[in-house]
Amino acid sequence: MSEFIKIYEDKPNEAAIAKVVKVLKEGGLVIYPTDTVYGLGCDITNTKALERIAKIKGVKLEKANFSFICYDLSNLSDYVKQVNTATFKLLKRALPGAYTFILPGNNNLPKEFKKKTTVGIRIPDNNIALEIVRQLGNPIVSTSIHDDDDVIEYTTDPELIFEKWQNLVDMVIDGGYGANKGSTIIDLSGDEPIVVRVGKGSLDIL
């Protein structure tokens, strides 16, 4: 049975965050708030947890386009090839924020993602998500939770999310209502930025 835990975004309770981190370290799946929609995440270093998320999403793990949720830009060099000054300045302008940036991956990617040449990086402007990653000590692999209803693409009410997902995940965090718009996705793996999806993040940063 999944646990439903309330955490306040303006001042995340340290003991509550530690509880979430414990679940992640033990290979659990957690649904957590971001600055856009709620995400489904696990510890990037846990193969079994990664396989569980891929199974839920109905994709092969090595082909899955999951995002890496990082605490700050210092995490980048762990998984991303060195970026040029213009790209770094763009990242600094935009993050933390409602963006996913696709960047060229390096050789340190977890073995499950070795075949991928690019990686999606997120640093959400949400204290709960950032504190989880900070206490965990490494990024979490994440994917948005979609709704079956075509009209409502994303469920924003944590109680409804818990109702729907409690048998699939180990913990659902109630961090208040989520947004119903995903992140803006920008591909920075080529010579010029390419907007893949316009979401909550403004394109003024380009």
Side-chain angles (χ1 to χ4, degrees):
M1 180 67 174
S2 177
E3 189 174 349
F4 191 54
I5 182 170
K6 175 82 185 165
I7 302 178
Y8 293 94
E9 205 249 326
D10 53 352
K11 203 166 187 253
N13 177 297
E14 208 144 304
I17 296 285
K19 224 175 180 186
V20 179
V21 168
K22 185 172 184 284
V23 168
L24 289 167
K25 282 188 169 164
E26 288 169 356
L29 305 189
V30 171
I31 290 178
Y32 66 98
T34 71
D35 51 355
T36 58
V37 299
Y38 269 77
L40 165 64
C42 73
D43 186 338
I44 197 170
T45 63
N46 193 298
T47 304
K48 279 208 167 88
L50 288 167
E51 284 168 351
R52 274 178 70 194
I53 288 190
K55 195 176 174 193
I56 286 172
K57 294 293 275 191
V59 291
K60 280 202 163 74
L61 183 54
E62 63 274 13
K63 289 187 175 159
N65 288 322
F66 297 148
S67 303
F68 293 4
I69 306 284
C70 301
Y71 177 65
D72 59 22
L73 287 173
S74 65
N75 280 143
L76 275 194
S77 53
D78 296 346
Y79 304 108
V80 170
K81 284 182 181 161
Q82 198 166 0
V83 296
N84 62 33
T85 310
T87 300
F88 190 74
K89 280 183 173 165
L90 173 59
L91 294 171
K92 269 195 90 96
R93 265 203 308 280
L95 299 171
Y99 300 91
T100 301
F101 288 106
I102 297 169
L103 294 157
N106 66 19
N107 296 331
N108 299 333
L109 284 174
K111 62 181 187 301
E112 295 78 17
F113 302 108
K114 282 285 188 229
K115 289 181 182 165
K116 293 184 82 64
T117 53
T118 58
V119 58
I121 297 288
R122 275 275 273 129
I123 303 176
D125 188 10
N126 178 288
N127 291 330
I128 298 170
L130 293 178
E131 275 303 301
I132 291 169
V133 176
R134 188 181 70 81
Q135 275 203 33
L136 183 64
N138 53 256
I140 51 181
V141 167
S142 181
T143 179
S144 302
I145 58 164
H146 282 256
D147 208 291
D148 301 330
D149 185 327
D150 291 339
V151 183
I152 319 168
E153 197 178 352
Y154 301 104
T155 303
T156 59
D157 182 338
E159 289 188 7
L160 292 177
I161 292 170
F162 179 67
E163 215 170 274
K164 184 178 168 185
W165 288 81
Q166 58 184 329
N167 297 323
L168 290 170
V169 302
D170 303 281
M171 182 177 268
V172 175
I173 298 170
D174 175 358
Y177 276 82
N180 58 0
K181 219 178 195 183
S183 61
T184 293
I185 303 174
I186 300 173
D187 188 341
L188 298 177
S189 62
D191 298 335
E192 291 290 322
I194 296 168
V195 178
V196 178
R197 177 181 80 188
V198 179
K200 196 176 165 199
S202 159
L203 296 180
D204 294 350
I205 57 155
L206 294 174

